[in-house]
Amino acid sequence: MSEMAATRDGYGQALLEIADNAKVVVLEADLGKSTKSLHFKNKYPARSISCGIGEQNMLLTAAGLASSGYIPFASTFAIFTERAFEQMRNGVARPDLAVHLCGSHGGTHTGTDGSSAQSIEDLAIYRTLPNVVVMHPSDYVSTLELTKQLPALNKPSYMRTARNKTPVMYRGRESEIVIGKGITLRQGTDVAIIACGVLVSESMKAAELLAEKGINATVVDMHTLKPLDGDLIDSLASQCGAIVTAEDHNVIGGLGGAVAEHLVTNKYAPLEMVGVADRFGESGQSDEMLEVMKLNSKYIEQAAQRAIARKS
Amino acid sequence: MTLSISELEEFARKCRVEIVKMVYRAQAGHPGGSLSEIDLISALYATRMRVRPDQPKWEDRDRFILSKGHASPGMYAVLAEMGFIDHEDLHSYRVLGGKCQGHVDMKWCPGVDFSAGSLGMGLSFGLGCAVAARLDNSERRTFVMIGDGEIQEGSVWEAAMAAAHHEVGNLKVILDRNRIQNDDFCEAQMRMFDIPAKWRAFGWEVKEIDGHNMEEVMSGLDFLEATNDKPAILIAHTIKGAGVSFMENNPSFHGAAPNDEQFAQAMLELGEVIV
Ligand SMILES: Cc1ncc(C[n+]2csc(CCOP(=O)(O)OP(=O)(O)O)c2C)c(N)n1
Ligand SMILES: [Mg+2]
């Protein structure tokens, strides 16, 4: 079995690795144990700001710190970042302050906590905000690397991490991980699967299922949803002529939405979207949720077949 | 229902057993805040709530809103004891398709009046229920249970201010003051200073009790029922994890399940023999 780790642990580790930068400060809203910012708090209590259970206050406190030359990292569950959406919009994005917001426990994969904790809209809503960079890495190493790049970004950002462990894919490939650049994990010319987060490894499995049937798929880890790697999508449209997106997120407005917006205004290719079919989740184990929501490798494979059938 | 103090204590004990069993079976969930609230919710349902378990959507029922929706095992145990759901349904806690979702959910479970899980929402929702009852000229009351960590949410204070402004005397709040939130003690996460004074300053009637002393719980509920000209809050001093020694005052059991050995010990302490 390959190495497994949670992306939220990658975030927690990254905070420790960027702590040498004295401007880095960490804010939390009573979920540091869960988002993993607690490691930073334990080591650097003076640069950790507990905001209690108060997400709205946390976001604007972070904005004030950013305007004063600090580099704030604020985290809570993805779903509860949404309570502070307007603070993020008017207090962070509009003045273009480099606050880095991390929402852990994103998606239905989060599991038995149920629908109130399973954000399926975070990527969509943050994507609509000017200035904000939106990321959803797939593994521990890429989360670590992307987070380490944030102090130099000088832009507000939102990153979704996941609660549960996923396969570690990028050991030794750290240099390939750059904000805004999709990563091609596998090359094939019949169809391109563009995925993010926990569905990247599911897409790799789907590519293997397709290979057994003689279909060669490209798999791309689109860890940055905004700015979207449009050049890569254009080349996938040319080379493969059929595209599938896969995300543990509503089909409306997330990765599928972003790719669709790009395709219809650039080089077109038929697109099939694997995502949550505009419904709320429920309590269930992670693997059960991927099945109930029709998100796992089987459904990605089927979507690939449909996309190929639509090639003109 | 009229139950004696010792009958109420037995009601709550049975619920404690179910709480620990639910969390143990699921190997996930929130025992601490379920055990701290349970004496209060038990007495409330068993002696005050005007509800019809066989008719959970009866329009003129009193409403109960568990705003700290993570402490759902406590509510499910009471709903089973009251007959809204079967004891068998408690096995569906955190199970796919189950009535007993991780956080209480009105779409899934009969007897649940609010889909909670995001803190700081229940009081505003309860205000809406209370205003609706007034518009309907209905005698129904709305009870809302909130956590002490939860009141750090600003929205709680928006609701508190609005409830006093609108003089909703049919809105009754119970604050589970167990001194612990998710990561740590409240004192470490966000000091709240004089909580009773804050509610008074917002225009509320306030009473403080020991939330595990059934006599005091009953007099606290009397106070809530008797206050009808303005909103009232019962601040119940409780122990997070109450009834299971190793969970008591232990922030680690906010959201963690007991292992086999701990489960056996909990059952022993709660006077339940496992067969
Ligand atoms: C808006 C929001 N932020 C964060 C959380 C995560 N969370 C769940 S329970 C909890 C602590 C709640 O503490 P308290 O209100 O004191 O409840 P109790 O001690 O009774 O369990 C937190 C932070 C949440 N559910 N909702
Ligand atoms: Mg508490």
Side-chain angles (χ1 to χ4, degrees), chain A residues 172-187:
Chain A
R173 298 178 62 178
E174 286 80 358
S175 62
E176 295 174 49
I177 298 152
V178 180
I179 294 172
K181 289 268 161 257
I183 302 171
T184 303
L185 287 167
R186 180 180 173 126
Q187 293 271 13

Side-chain angles (χ1 to χ4, degrees), chain A residues 32 50 53 55 112-113 283, chain B residues 94 101-102 119 152-153 183 189:
Chain A
S50 166
I53 309 174
E55 297 79 11
T112 68
D113 272 343
S283 290
Chain B
R94 289 184 174 253
Q101 293 285 302
L119 295 167
Q152 293 159 6
E153 284 288 359
D183 280 354
Q189 291 299 100

Side-chain angles (χ1 to χ4, degrees), chain B residues 68 147-150 176-181 186 240:
Chain B
K68 35 170 267 184
D148 51 0
E150 181 180 11
D176 184 357
R177 178 71 173 120
N178 60 24
R179 297 182 177 272
I180 294 176
Q181 46 196 88
C186 301
K240 200 152 176 170

